[in-house]
Amino acid sequence: MERRRLWGSIQSRYISMSVWTSPRRLVELAGQSLLKDEALAIAALELLPRELFPPLFMAAFDGRHSQTLKAMVQAWPFTCLPLGVL
């Protein structure tokens, strides 16, 4: 019985956490944190996973981080750079 109660507690915590923090929001927070220091953001580009380039690019654009944008365009890992939304 105690095991069921513990499992129910774990499930309810997980469900409530997943409702409040989506992966997209965490990526946005990571991007904002990285962009606080433009030199660090530029240095981190070579280590950044490809999946994080588009959201970080949008965060840099929205925050008007021109030096980071220039470095990102040069390090862009995809075959095209879609700027239609911008």
Side-chain angles (χ1 to χ4, degrees), residues 21-49:
T21 56
S22 67
R24 183 175 181 193
R25 181 75 178 132
L26 291 175
V27 168
E28 291 170 5
L29 291 173
Q32 290 171 358
S33 177
L34 184 60
L35 290 173
K36 285 182 181 178
D37 183 356
E38 260 190 321
L40 178 64
I42 292 169
L45 289 177
E46 63 186 41
L47 304 172
L48 198 66

Side-chain angles (χ1 to χ4, degrees), residues 73-84:
V73 167
Q74 292 174 355
W76 193 254
F78 304 105
T79 55
C80 67
L81 179 62
L83 298 175

Side-chain angles (χ1 to χ4, degrees), residues 3-80:
R3 187 174 180 181
R4 278 188 187 170
R5 189 177 308 156
L6 178 62
W7 180 247
S9 173
I10 290 170
Q11 281 181 322
S12 66
R13 285 184 187 168
Y14 175 74
I15 291 169
S16 65
M17 282 176 36
S18 66
V19 169
W20 294 107
T21 56
S22 67
R24 183 175 181 193
R25 181 75 178 132
L26 291 175
V27 168
E28 291 170 5
L29 291 173
Q32 290 171 358
S33 177
L34 184 60
L35 290 173
K36 285 182 181 178
D37 183 356
E38 260 190 321
L40 178 64
I42 292 169
L45 289 177
E46 63 186 41
L47 304 172
L48 198 66
R50 291 172 48 121
E51 295 80 21
L52 295 181
F53 264 82
L56 184 61
F57 187 87
M58 292 304 295
F61 181 82
D62 290 340
R64 299 181 181 176
H65 299 276
S66 59
Q67 297 302 319
T68 304
L69 284 171
K70 288 177 187 177
M72 288 192 79
V73 167
Q74 292 174 355
W76 193 254
F78 304 105
T79 55
C80 67

